[in-house]
Amino acid sequence: MAEKEMSFLDHLEELRWHLVRSFVAIFIVAIVIFANINFVFNEILLAHLKPDFTTYQFFCKVFSSIGIDSSFCAIKFKQTLQALNPTQQLMTGIWSSLILGFVVAFPYILWEFWRFIAPGLHESERKKSKGFIFTSSFLFFLGILFSYYVILPMSVYFFYNFEISDAIQNNFKLEAYISLITNTLLGVAIFFELPVVIFFLTKIGLITPGFLRKYRKHALVVVLVLSAIITPPDVASQVIVSVPIMILYEMSIYVSKFVLKQQQKNVTKSPRV
């Protein structure tokens, strides 16, 4: 029996329930995180303030093995974070729990999104799109790990130790520090979704491989500028950040090329009237 065609209002109602379930999932995960907020802050969000953090030790060993003295081997964080109003710790804990709730629930949110658009796809398109959730989730969490273990340690170390005058002391607010952590995590994770975004933009005809190749040099300049902003001002740090992003850009070119080839095959196979 043919599926009944849905009206515009029916689609809105369906979308509303998908969004409701997504928000419920985020809130449930956020509640679990908030119930363990001390562990989350001490072991995850504030971990970059510990001299024995994995990344610092790794860079120390690497530079030492090639005979280079590295400041990563003598890291010290003297200052503590400041909460400047009575509710700041509570509100920061709640907000951080919601953001981490979104991160953990991301695959489920994607699944709800796929369930919403799946009825409008052909059977062949549904089969091909089944890997969408896995691929998008993999890239998202890869971005989370890259920002957590590479970008954030270098950024935290740099900002804590950068001084323009001995008369100025770095006393950071709790809210500002957590915003740096969460914004970087989400920003980089979303940027790692570039191949998926390019896939859909190519599908609807807004992007082509030729366009991406044409502006490859411009993209490299933008990536280097962003790397210079979010990392310490040394060439090694900028290269460490830039290389994975440019690899994603090159992957996006191949993704766009693959989509166009598939579309051309479908046009060739379609029967002529």
Side-chain angles (χ1 to χ4, degrees):
M1 185 175 178
E3 188 176 321
K4 184 179 178 181
E5 186 176 347
M6 297 175 65
S7 66
F8 177 72
L9 292 179
D10 291 332
H11 280 294
L12 285 181
E13 179 67 12
E14 186 72 15
L15 176 61
R16 183 173 75 89
W17 281 108
H18 285 294
L19 292 175
V20 167
R21 287 190 290 269
S22 297
F23 282 117
V24 168
I26 294 173
F27 283 125
I28 290 174
V29 177
I31 290 172
V32 174
I33 292 173
F34 189 78
N36 300 276
I37 198 66
N38 289 334
F39 173 83
V40 170
F41 265 74
N42 290 328
E43 302 299 328
I44 299 176
L45 296 180
L46 301 181
H48 304 96
L49 296 178
K50 299 178 181 179
D52 61 348
F53 186 70
T54 305
T55 304
Y56 303 143
Q57 292 182 331
F58 174 77
F59 283 135
C60 174
K61 291 178 181 178
V62 169
F63 288 123
S64 297
S65 65
I66 57 178
I68 298 177
D69 293 331
S70 173
S71 56
F72 286 110
C73 297
I75 290 180
K76 293 181 180 179
F77 295 105
K78 297 180 181 179
Q79 297 82 12
T80 56
L81 299 173
Q82 296 182 329
L84 301 181
N85 62 65
T87 62
Q88 189 167 37
Q89 290 197 52
L90 175 62
M91 297 308 299
T92 302
I94 293 174
W95 182 243
S96 301
S97 298
L98 288 172
I99 293 176
L100 294 178
F102 171 80
V103 170
V104 176
F106 185 74
Y108 178 80
I109 296 171
L110 286 179
W111 183 65
E112 286 288 350
F113 173 74
W114 184 84
R115 287 181 62 199
F116 176 70
I117 66 172
L121 302 176
H122 296 293
E123 186 63 28
S124 59
E125 291 176 325
R126 291 184 192 180
K127 291 179 180 179
K128 292 178 182 178
S129 64
K130 284 183 178 179
F132 161 73
I133 297 175
F134 173 79
T135 303
S136 299
S137 299
F138 174 77
L139 290 173
F140 183 83
F141 288 116
L142 189 63
I144 291 289
L145 291 174
F146 179 71
S147 59
Y148 187 80
Y149 285 103
V150 179
I151 296 180
L152 281 173
M154 293 188 295
S155 299
V156 169
Y157 173 74
F158 171 71
F159 290 127
Y160 255 87
N161 290 277
F162 178 77
E163 293 181 352
I164 57 176
S165 172
D166 293 336
I168 303 174
Q169 185 178 9
N170 289 331
N171 290 318
F172 300 123
K173 294 194 299 181
L174 170 65
E175 182 182 9
Y177 177 85
I178 296 302
S179 293
L180 170 67
I181 300 297
T182 54
N183 290 344
T184 303
L185 286 175
L186 286 180
V188 175
I190 292 173
F191 193 88
F192 266 58
E193 296 292 320
L194 180 63
V196 177
V197 174
I198 294 299
F199 175 86
F200 286 105
L201 291 179
T202 305
K203 272 282 212 183
I204 60 178
L206 292 180
I207 292 291
T208 63
F211 176 86
L212 295 174
R213 291 193 190 97
K214 179 180 178 181
Y215 290 97
R216 181 189 280 117
K217 293 181 180 179
H218 301 78
L220 177 59
V221 172
V222 172
V223 168
L224 289 175
V225 170
L226 291 176
S227 301
I229 293 173
I230 64 179
T231 63
D234 62 82
V235 176
S237 299
Q238 294 174 21
V239 169
I240 289 171
V241 173
S242 301
V243 169
I245 296 177
M246 288 309 301
I247 290 175
L248 285 172
Y249 190 86
E250 294 298 323
M251 284 175 55
S252 299
I253 295 177
Y254 284 101
V255 168
S256 180
K257 186 177 179 180
F258 172 78
V259 172
L260 283 185
K261 282 186 176 181
Q262 291 298 114
Q263 289 178 337
Q264 291 171 358
K265 285 182 180 179
N266 293 335
V267 170
T268 305
K269 290 180 181 180
S270 60
R272 298 181 179 179
V273 179

